[in-house]
Amino acid sequence: MKSLRDFTMARVALGRSGNSLPTSALLDFQLAHAQARDAVHFPLDAKSLLAELRVFDIPCVGAETQCADRATYLRHPELGRQLSPESRKALEPLKGNFDVVFLIADGLSALAVHRHAAALLEATLARLDRGAWRIAPLVVVTQGRVAIGDEIGELLGAILSVILIGERPGLSSPDSLGVYLTWHPRSGLTDADRNCISNIHAKGLAFGVASQKLVFLMTEARRRKLSGVSLKDDSGRLLS
C-alpha cells in the first residue's frame, strides 16, 4: 500500500490503530486543516506585491472590490465581483485599446498569490511575443473573485482578461493558484464563458507547463474570438 502513496497526495493507505487512524495520520490531517483555514484568512499584501511586479516593465495599479473586509468577502461573494466606486473611478482614465489585461486577485488564498503569481506571470511573459500583444496595466485586486476580471477587462477596453487567483485551499494544498481566461470580458458572463488552468503550485502543475497552456489558450482565444466551453485546450499535443 505504501507504493500507492508514492503516486498521489490523497490520503490513502494511512494505516490503522485499532478502529481509528494512527496518531501521526490524525495529526497530519489536523495540521492540513489548520493550514487551509489560515490560508483563507491570510491577508494580501498588495503594496509588496505591486513592488515585486514592477520588474516586468508593465504599469501596475491596485484596486479593491466592494468588500470592506475579509469577513464580508467570505459572506457576500457577489461583492467580490464588483469594483468599489473609488477603484472604478481610478481605473477609468486607463482605458485603451488592449489585447489583454492581466489581473492578480487574492481569491481564497492570498498565500498562493504571494508564492506563485509573480513566477507564473514571468514564465508567461517570457513565452509571449510582447510586440504582438498590447498589454493593459496590470491590476492587483484585493478581496477579488474570478468575475472581477469581467468588469475590469471591460472598463480598460481589453479584448481578453486573464486573472491569476488563489484557489480554495484543500487538505493537500493551501497555496494552489488558478488562472481564468475570458474573451470579450463584460458583466453578466458565467463560468461557461471562461477557461481555467488550476492546481498550480510546487507539488502540482509546474509554472512552465501552466504558462505554455495559458499562452496557447490566449493565442487561440484571440484567433478564434471565443473562450469557455467552445475553446478546448489542445496544448498537450504540443508538449508531447
Side-chain angles (χ1 to χ4, degrees):
M1 293 293 286
K2 181 180 181 299
S3 61
L4 183 62
R5 298 182 62 190
D6 292 337
F7 296 96
T8 178
M9 295 176 65
R11 285 177 164 76
V12 297
L14 297 179
R16 296 180 63 179
S17 179
N19 293 324
S20 184
L21 291 171
T23 300
S24 60
L26 178 61
L27 292 176
D28 286 343
F29 176 85
Q30 291 175 334
L31 175 61
H33 186 263
Q35 289 174 331
R37 286 175 60 90
D38 288 346
V40 169
H41 295 280
F42 185 79
L44 179 69
D45 187 346
K47 184 176 180 180
S48 68
L49 182 59
L50 284 166
E52 184 180 3
L53 296 172
R54 289 194 175 97
V55 300
F56 298 126
D57 195 29
I58 300 174
C60 301
V61 294
E64 298 177 348
T65 66
Q66 295 186 17
C67 299
D69 50 43
R70 198 62 176 170
T72 304
Y73 174 83
L74 295 173
R75 292 171 182 166
H76 300 279
E78 71 283 358
L79 298 181
R81 303 183 184 110
Q82 304 171 50
L83 282 172
S84 68
E86 296 80 9
S87 291
R88 186 173 181 86
K89 183 177 180 180
L91 291 177
E92 283 175 346
L94 302 179
K95 184 172 184 178
N97 187 20
F98 299 113
D99 292 306
V100 62
V101 56
F102 289 101
L103 308 100
I104 298 178
D106 45 8
L108 287 167
S109 178
L111 184 65
V113 169
H114 280 295
R115 288 182 176 176
H116 310 310
L120 178 59
L121 185 60
E122 180 179 20
T124 300
L125 293 174
R127 292 178 179 273
L128 208 60
D129 182 358
R130 297 282 290 270
W133 289 84
R134 296 163 295 178
I135 302 177
L138 177 62
V139 184
V140 173
V141 186
T142 306
Q143 314 290 12
R145 299 276 178 174
V146 171
I148 195 65
D150 297 340
E151 182 179 0
I152 294 178
E154 184 177 27
L155 188 62
L156 294 182
I159 60 173
L160 193 64
S161 71
V162 175
I163 183 167
L164 286 61
I165 190 168
E167 294 185 308
R168 185 186 306 276
L171 293 176
S172 61
S173 176
D175 64 342
S176 181
L177 190 74
V179 180
Y180 291 82
L181 174 146
T182 308
W183 171 258
H184 189 26
R186 58 200 183 279
S187 299
L189 296 181
T190 68
D191 286 342
D193 300 300
R194 321 182 205 287
N195 291 84
C196 175
I197 305 170
S198 64
N199 202 38
I200 304 167
H201 58 93
K203 295 182 180 180
L205 194 65
F207 298 139
V209 177
S211 63
Q212 191 273 337
K213 287 177 174 289
L214 177 55
V215 171
F216 173 85
L217 288 171
M218 290 172 59
T219 302
E220 287 299 293
R222 186 170 67 166
R223 182 178 71 85
R224 299 174 60 187
K225 295 180 172 54
L226 52 81
S227 62
V229 295
S230 299
L231 178 62
K232 305 303 179 184
D233 179 8
D234 297 325
S235 59
R237 59 184 173 81
L238 301 179
L239 291 174
S240 62

